[in-house]
Structures are given as C-alpha cells and as structure tokens.
Amino acid sequence: MFRKVLTLVAVSLLWCVGSESVWARQSMELEQRLRECTTVVKSMMEAADGGIPAELLNRSRAIIIFPSLLKAGLGLGGHYGKGVILARHAKTDKWGPPAFLSMMGGSIGWQLGIQATDLVILVMNRVNLQAVFKDKFTIGADASIAAGPVGREASAGTDISLQAGMLSYSRSKGLFAGVSIKGTILEPDWNANETYYGSDASLIDVFFQGKGQVSAAGRELIRVLNAYTAGRRK
C-alpha cells in the first residue's frame, strides 16, 4: 500500500514538472512571437522603399501583426500563421495589451512556391475590432479589406482609407505569386491567451479594458507603437 502511495506521488510530481516545462516553453514561444511582431512593426514603419504611413497608423483603432505568415501553393494555395492584435484605448489613444490570434485561409488561382511573409493589418474602426473576437472572423466578409497605400507621403485621406474597414501591408521573403487574404479566417488563439494571461483572465477584459499583466516583450511592442503615434491626432 505504501509503495502504491509513493508511486502515485512520484507520478503526480512528474506530471507537474512536465506541465510546468510545457508552460515555460509555450511562454518563451509567445515572448518570441511578440519580439518578432516588434521587429515587423519597425521594419514596415521605417522601410526605405515606402512603409506604412504614420498618419494611417495613427487613425487606426487596432493593429494585427503576423510575423512570418506561411504561404504555400502548387496550383491552389493557402496560408497559415500565428500573430497578435493590439487596440488603442478609446479615450487615451494609447495602445493596450496584446491578444493572440491565428490565421488560416486558402487562395484561388495559380500559385507556386513556399514563402514566409510579414503581414500587418490596420483595423480602421471599432465596429470591425469587436467583430474580430467572434469565434471566426472572415476577412472580406465580416469586414472589407484593401491593400494600404505606402510611403511617408501617401495621403491618409484617400478613398481607400476612408472606405475599407481594414488595410493590409505585407513584406515578402522569397518568391511567390498570386496570394490574397480575402476569405481568410481569423480566430483568437485561446491556448496562447490562457498561457500568457492565465485561466482566470477574460480575454475581452484584457483586450478592451487593459486588465492583463503584460510581459517585457509585450511592453516593448506597446512602447514602440506608442512612439510612432505619440503627439499625433486622428
């Protein structure tokens, strides 16, 4: 009987250690994702060949960032990735804590190759922002999307920026042709959010009320975004 108790205790300890190890690995992966998102924002805002206009970033209500979105195709193609979304506080205009997202979709048309592409989507109004937190949000159906104008001199008053609910920007690493994110599905990455904020935290409260505890990599991403919009007005 005593041996059975010891065995149960040993198994329980091993399970706890294993669970903590998995949690630690997942936490490190999320920190890395946030660091990559910060790098993507910097590269797209400061691109010498024409980055995201600062005025458009300032007018946006949220930003969705997918570092190294994987796109692959041979005939019919598809894409998959994990990223984050951050929103601006309605009163202060400061950027709030990140929530984690996943993306999956297919594309119609001839495609060839495998490519990692950094993708940024500006969400231009709060109606579209709230819709993102449905179980499944379809780009192009639940909100209109258009390719955003680039370059520091690009006008933020163009028809495209006034009419589209979302503006997309991408930077490719390699060769690829014929991809579109219309019809792509966005979903909250529930496992990632629970790992990052804990099971007691409501994702809605974290995202819309700013109640979550943010890590060092998350704080740096927020700092960088605030720096690009500091002193500006919508």
Side-chain angles (χ1 to χ4, degrees):
M1 181 68 181
F2 182 67
R3 289 181 178 178
K4 290 182 177 179
V5 172
L6 286 178
T7 299
L8 288 173
V9 170
V11 170
S12 298
L13 288 173
L14 287 173
W15 182 86
C16 290
V17 171
S19 298
E20 290 181 359
S21 177
V22 170
W23 179 86
R25 188 185 75 251
Q26 291 174 339
S27 296
M28 291 177 62
E29 290 174 352
L30 296 179
E31 285 292 275
Q32 180 60 24
R33 191 193 305 185
L34 289 167
R35 286 191 289 268
E36 291 173 355
C37 287
T38 301
T39 300
V40 169
V41 169
K42 289 180 177 179
S43 68
M44 289 203 184
M45 292 299 299
E46 300 172 6
D49 56 345
I52 298 174
E55 189 176 353
L56 280 180
L57 176 64
N58 187 64
R59 292 180 59 182
S60 68
R61 301 318 309 163
I63 185 171
I64 300 172
I65 311 163
F66 279 91
S68 298
L69 178 71
L70 183 64
K71 304 190 294 186
L74 182 57
L76 297 182
H79 42 274
Y80 174 79
K82 290 181 176 292
V84 302
I85 178 172
L86 300 90
R88 299 175 69 183
H89 192 279
K91 294 182 179 179
T92 67
D93 266 350
K94 297 294 185 181
W95 292 91
F100 296 88
L101 296 176
S102 64
M103 170 185 280
M104 182 176 293
S107 301
I108 303 300
W110 179 254
Q111 304 178 43
L112 179 65
I114 297 176
Q115 178 190 22
T117 297
D118 297 330
L119 175 69
V120 168
I121 301 173
L122 301 183
V123 183
M124 303 309 293
N125 60 63
R126 292 188 67 83
V127 174
N128 291 322
L129 177 59
Q130 293 169 356
V132 169
F133 285 89
K134 297 179 359 180
D135 286 340
K136 290 185 178 181
F137 176 91
T138 303
I139 295 176
D142 293 313
S144 60
I145 189 166
V150 299
R152 291 182 176 85
E153 303 302 322
S155 172
T158 59
D159 290 342
I160 194 171
S161 65
L162 293 174
Q163 295 176 5
M166 294 179 164
L167 300 176
S168 64
Y169 294 86
S170 64
R171 289 179 67 84
S172 299
K173 304 170 183 177
L175 299 175
F176 195 83
V179 72
S180 171
I181 60 172
K182 287 186 178 180
T184 294
I185 294 175
L186 291 177
E187 293 183 282
D189 188 341
W190 298 110
N191 289 335
N193 285 300
E194 182 174 335
T195 297
Y196 191 79
Y197 290 111
S199 57
D200 295 333
S202 163
L203 181 56
I204 299 301
D205 286 343
V206 166
F207 192 72
F208 289 101
Q209 303 299 326
K211 295 182 178 180
Q213 294 293 323
V214 181
S215 66
R219 291 194 298 272
E220 176 62 11
L221 176 56
I222 293 169
R223 185 197 68 78
V224 167
L225 286 169
N226 280 328
Y228 283 121
T229 54
R232 297 178 179 271
R233 293 292 182 268
K234 298 187 295 295

